Amino acid sequence: MRKMGIREFLFIVPILLLIGIFSLWPVLQSFTYSFFDFQLNDRTKSGLYLNERFNVDLYNETSLYIDRFISQDMETISDEEDKESAQEVIDQLANLNEEFSNEEGVITISGEQKEQVESVYKNADETVQNLADEYELQQEENLPLLVDDIKNSMIESNFIGLQGYKRALQDHFVLDALWHTLVFTFASVSLELVLGLGMAVIMNQGIRGKGFIRTASLIPWAIPTAVAALMWSYLYDGSAGVVAEIFANIGILDRPTDLLQTGAGAMTAAILADVWKTTPYMAILLLAGLQNIPNSLYEASSIDGANKVQDFFKITLPLLKPSILVALLFRTLDAFRVFDLIYVLTGGGPGGSTETLSVYSYKVMFGQTNFGYGSVVVMIMFICVAIISTIYVKFLGTNIMDRN
């Protein structure tokens, strides 16, 4: 086999760039976020900080007000030692202001500068507390809060390493979401395999209008998932939904409202909606495998006296195994990452009973703006998907080699 040269490699450069930008970069970014306590709703954690930082603007504003308020109370302070302590605080604030006079915004500081800021904070805090105990200050309520802002000017590193993963493995919300994801994936893919295989066998028969049947069967799969979920939400509605009313009439439900207002009912509803939509896709994948099986094998088996059931288990299933594994791989990965169907149909409810890993990570990242912990959940899902892919590809590769 001829080795790939520079000219041949240039042909695949565009696709490698696309894969890198749209596939690998988001994964690497999420992987990086997972090591930080990255929260947009907290200004001290709204970035990826490996070292301590200092908010110069916040400190300058804070020191200005502390200086002004303490200066206003100088006449009230009668004890000379207390006056000296108050003046010392003002001088320390001024010295620190002078040191950062050429800086603005959030900057990186050295360990020595950090100790200096902490020393100023500690001295100011003790002095203000002593003055508040001894004298009646004009800004007695606001001064302690302003002194705390000196400490808040220090932005600690939000690098947490593997603590996010440790927290996730102990978080019952993550474990519940993983369980819901596994239940949804196993139930939906199993039903889709059985029903899809049946549809594929029927569509593979030499019947009139089979082209129209194959086209019509793809309509559910062609409908956008969000639209299909919205349509099923109307059918499941407890007050006017046809499906909910039918289930109640035949005794599956006590009341029509139980379908979407109970945990088991909502999960069942989501699974049925997914099965309705993606079974045709499974059927098409299996149909392609059925059409690769030579008819001569069935003719030979009929001569030997085999019936249809024997043909199915002795010829069809063994030769269809590679196609089944490919179809299971695609559908399992797709079902494990389910988001839009659950989000539109149930929103993860009731009470989080249908909340999958994708839905939970979305709520953490965009609902709570906690991108660090949300990325941890995403990486756990990525690891699960990688494990599933490895298992399937291993079985698929072994099967193909055995077939060769």
Side-chain angles (χ1 to χ4, degrees):
M1 183 185 231
R2 182 182 174 184
K3 293 184 178 180
M4 181 183 295
I6 297 178
R7 181 182 300 177
E8 293 81 2
F9 177 76
L10 290 176
F11 283 103
I12 65 172
V13 167
I15 191 64
L16 291 178
L17 289 176
L18 291 175
I19 292 174
I21 294 172
F22 296 104
S23 297
L24 296 181
W25 174 248
V27 173
L28 292 175
Q29 194 172 37
S30 296
F31 183 69
T32 303
Y33 288 170
S34 67
F35 294 105
F36 292 84
D37 186 14
F38 181 25
Q39 303 182 43
L40 293 184
N41 58 357
D42 187 344
R43 64 183 179 182
T44 64
K45 301 177 181 179
S46 59
L48 307 183
Y49 304 134
L50 286 172
N51 301 313
E52 288 82 8
R53 298 195 176 193
F54 186 65
N55 191 333
V56 178
D57 296 337
L58 176 61
Y59 173 77
N60 288 336
E61 182 181 357
T62 301
S63 63
L64 175 65
Y65 283 105
I66 294 176
D67 187 341
R68 181 180 301 175
F69 292 158
I70 292 180
S71 299
Q72 290 174 355
D73 291 319
M74 275 298 192
E75 296 180 358
T76 309
I77 303 173
S78 57
D79 187 77
E80 289 298 326
E81 291 186 3
D82 291 338
K83 276 189 176 182
E84 290 179 2
S85 299
Q87 187 60 46
E88 183 182 358
V89 170
I90 294 176
D91 293 340
Q92 287 181 338
L93 292 173
N95 292 336
L96 204 56
N97 269 330
E98 185 177 351
E99 182 170 349
F100 296 109
S101 59
N102 297 326
E103 305 288 350
E104 61 180 14
V106 178
I107 63 171
T108 302
I109 61 174
S110 63
E112 183 179 348
Q113 290 173 321
K114 178 186 176 182
E115 292 178 359
Q116 186 178 357
V117 175
E118 290 176 344
S119 174
V120 171
Y121 163 73
K122 184 177 179 181
N123 186 30
D125 185 48
E126 291 177 355
T127 301
V128 168
Q129 286 183 8
N130 292 334
L131 293 177
D133 293 338
E134 297 291 335
Y135 306 97
E136 196 171 321
L137 305 178
Q138 297 181 26
Q139 300 291 337
E140 188 172 344
E141 294 183 359
N142 294 329
L143 260 177
L145 299 177
L146 287 170
V147 171
D148 287 339
D149 275 342
I150 298 177
K151 183 178 180 181
N152 294 335
S153 299
M154 287 292 305
I155 303 176
E156 299 291 334
S157 170
N158 60 346
F159 179 79
I160 58 174
L162 297 175
Q163 291 181 19
Y165 292 93
K166 181 180 179 180
R167 172 188 169 190
L169 294 177
Q170 297 173 348
D171 186 355
H172 72 91
F173 289 109
V174 174
L175 299 179
D176 288 346
L178 177 60
W179 171 249
H180 299 153
T181 305
L182 292 173
V183 170
F184 177 87
T185 302
F186 178 78
S188 61
V189 173
S190 299
L191 289 173
E192 289 161 14
L193 175 62
V194 175
L195 297 176
L197 183 58
M199 288 180 61
V201 171
I202 294 173
M203 290 188 292
N204 194 45
Q205 302 300 316
I207 56 178
R208 179 179 297 181
K210 64 180 181 181
F212 173 77
I213 295 174
R214 293 176 183 177
T215 303
S217 66
L218 285 175
I219 292 177
W221 182 64
I223 297 175
T225 306
V227 176
L230 191 61
M231 178 187 70
W232 278 100
S233 68
Y234 291 129
L235 296 175
Y236 290 149
D237 185 75
S239 58
V242 176
V243 175
E245 191 67 31
I246 292 175
F247 284 175
N249 290 336
I250 63 179
I252 296 179
L253 300 173
D254 293 333
R255 297 180 302 274
T257 54
D258 290 345
L259 188 56
L260 291 180
Q261 294 183 3
T262 61
M267 179 60 75
T268 303
I271 292 171
L272 291 178
D274 187 69
V275 169
W276 173 84
K277 175 170 171 43
T278 53
T279 295
Y281 174 69
M282 180 77 78
I284 291 299
L285 292 178
L286 297 178
L287 178 61
L290 286 175
Q291 292 181 337
N292 288 328
I293 300 176
N295 287 329
S296 58
L297 296 178
Y298 295 105
E299 294 173 358
S301 67
S302 63
I303 293 174
D304 292 337
N307 54 37
K308 295 295 182 182
V309 176
Q310 291 174 326
D311 285 347
F312 181 78
F313 286 101
K314 299 296 184 180
I315 298 176
T316 304
L317 277 184
L319 296 179
L320 196 61
K321 187 178 178 181
S323 298
I324 292 176
L325 289 175
V326 171
L328 284 177
L329 173 62
F330 289 164
R331 275 303 304 139
T332 302
L333 298 184
D334 193 36
F336 197 88
R337 297 179 294 107
V338 63
F339 171 77
D340 41 5
L341 176 69
I342 299 291
Y343 187 77
V344 175
L345 185 61
T346 66
S353 58
T354 59
E355 196 169 67
T356 60
L357 285 174
S358 296
V359 175
Y360 181 65
S361 64
Y362 172 82
K363 290 181 178 180
V364 171
M365 294 179 76
F366 296 98
Q368 305 173 14
T369 64
N370 190 343
F371 285 86
Y373 191 58
S375 296
V376 171
V377 180
V378 170
M379 292 311 301
I380 290 176
M381 186 169 60
F382 173 78
I383 293 171
C384 293
V385 168
I387 293 173
I388 293 172
S389 301
T390 302
I391 294 173
Y392 273 126
V393 169
K394 180 176 176 61
F395 281 116
L396 176 60
T398 302
N399 183 269
I400 291 176
M401 292 301 296
D402 291 343
R403 211 174 155 200
N404 290 337

